[in-house]
Amino acid sequence: MNVSRIALVGGIAASTVLILAGTASAHVSVQPQGEAAKGGYATINFKVPNERDNASTTKLEVNFPTDHPLASVMPQPVPGWKIVVTKSKLAKPLEVHGNKIDEAVSKVTWSAEGSKNDLGIRPGQFQQFPLSVGQLPEDTDQLVFKAIQTYDNKDVVRWIEEQKDGAEEPESPAPVLKLTAATTDEHGAAADADKAGAADADRTKEEHTETASASPSSSDTTARVLGIVGILIGAAGVAFGVLTGRRRTA
């Protein structure tokens, strides 16, 4: 009897842990497609699961960090969603590729459109919202985005709590984008390719120049040889004529 009770209690405890773990993991998050390298550009996805059994997610607001503003933010169209990009003036202008930028994106909002029966993220589903962003900062290891998720029953979940070092995950954690070490971006790669192409072009030009220079030399050498051969043939003809004349005289 005691064994049965212990097994029952253990099963309930295990189920509770699984339920809590599932609830804790079902929050708005952000992940890059590939890598998000410092100083470069990246495509990132905000993953939004529906945590309700009787309501649909109809709106997502993502606030961008003000301490590390991003000058370029381009959303990818998402069927069934209206996208609004909000920009704000910067207290300190950014310099990107030699140009000064005095405003940056401060918020992106996705709002569901369509009929009531097919609106937003329904229970048991999730949706991804892609963005192309850059230029990523070089002086931090991560970017924190604060997100607000709204349901059609007016419930609002604020994913805005930042993770503290050494502390447990907060109840409503803000999405965090981890940045990797800086690498040569595609602009740098293109520049290297241009340099390599220019070097190849220079080598080809030099080879053509050498060939062109060698061609006249070869022609001159051939002409000289033919000239010498002609002279020798002429001299032989003269000598033959002289000998023939002497024989007739004799």
Side-chain angles (χ1 to χ4, degrees):
M1 189 70 174
N2 291 336
V3 174
S4 300
R5 289 179 179 176
I6 293 173
L8 178 60
V9 172
I12 294 173
S15 300
T16 303
V17 170
L18 290 174
I19 291 172
L20 291 176
T23 302
S25 62
H27 54 71
V28 176
S29 60
V30 59
Q31 292 293 333
Q33 291 183 8
E35 290 187 346
K38 297 178 182 180
Y41 292 77
T43 297
I44 61 176
N45 284 319
F46 285 92
K47 182 179 179 181
V48 182
N50 193 320
E51 296 184 309
R52 301 290 188 268
D53 295 329
N54 58 352
S56 297
T57 296
T58 56
K59 188 177 181 181
L60 174 69
E61 299 175 62
V62 174
N63 294 278
F64 283 68
T66 56
D67 54 343
H68 294 97
L70 300 175
S72 175
V73 176
M74 292 186 295
Q76 179 177 315
V78 179
W81 294 82
K82 177 184 177 181
I83 307 172
V84 176
V85 178
T86 303
K87 293 184 177 182
S88 299
K89 288 287 185 179
L90 296 175
K92 182 180 179 182
L94 295 174
E95 187 169 340
V96 181
H97 303 307
N99 299 320
K100 285 190 175 182
I101 308 297
D102 60 358
E103 66 176 10
V105 172
S106 57
K107 182 172 67 174
V108 177
T109 304
W110 291 266
S111 301
E113 297 181 319
S115 62
K116 178 65 177 178
N117 296 329
D118 188 24
L119 185 68
I121 309 170
R122 301 189 65 79
Q125 299 179 353
F126 75 92
Q127 178 68 52
Q128 294 195 72
F129 300 93
L131 293 173
S132 174
V133 299
Q135 186 172 3
L136 297 174
E138 300 181 12
D139 58 349
T140 185
D141 294 326
Q142 64 181 29
L143 292 177
V144 179
F145 300 87
K146 296 184 177 182
I148 300 175
Q149 181 179 9
T150 303
Y151 291 86
D152 59 5
N153 63 356
K154 307 305 180 182
D155 283 351
V156 176
V157 182
R158 301 179 183 276
W159 305 100
I160 62 174
E161 299 179 65
E162 297 188 32
Q163 176 72 50
K164 304 297 182 182
D165 292 338
E168 295 183 358
E169 184 182 61
E171 184 178 351
S172 300
V176 177
L177 177 66
K178 299 293 185 181
L179 304 182
T180 59
T183 58
T184 302
D185 62 16
E186 54 188 35
H187 298 294
D192 292 341
D194 291 341
K195 291 179 182 178
D200 291 339
D202 291 340
R203 284 195 293 271
T204 303
K205 184 177 180 180
E206 290 176 359
E207 291 173 358
H208 287 169
T209 303
E210 291 175 358
T211 303
S213 300
S215 296
S217 300
S218 299
S219 300
D220 292 344
T221 302
T222 302
R224 289 172 183 173
V225 171
L226 292 176
I228 293 172
V229 171
I231 292 172
L232 293 176
I233 293 175
V238 172
F240 180 76
V242 171
L243 291 175
T244 301
R246 288 180 179 178
R247 289 176 182 175
R248 289 178 180 177
T249 301

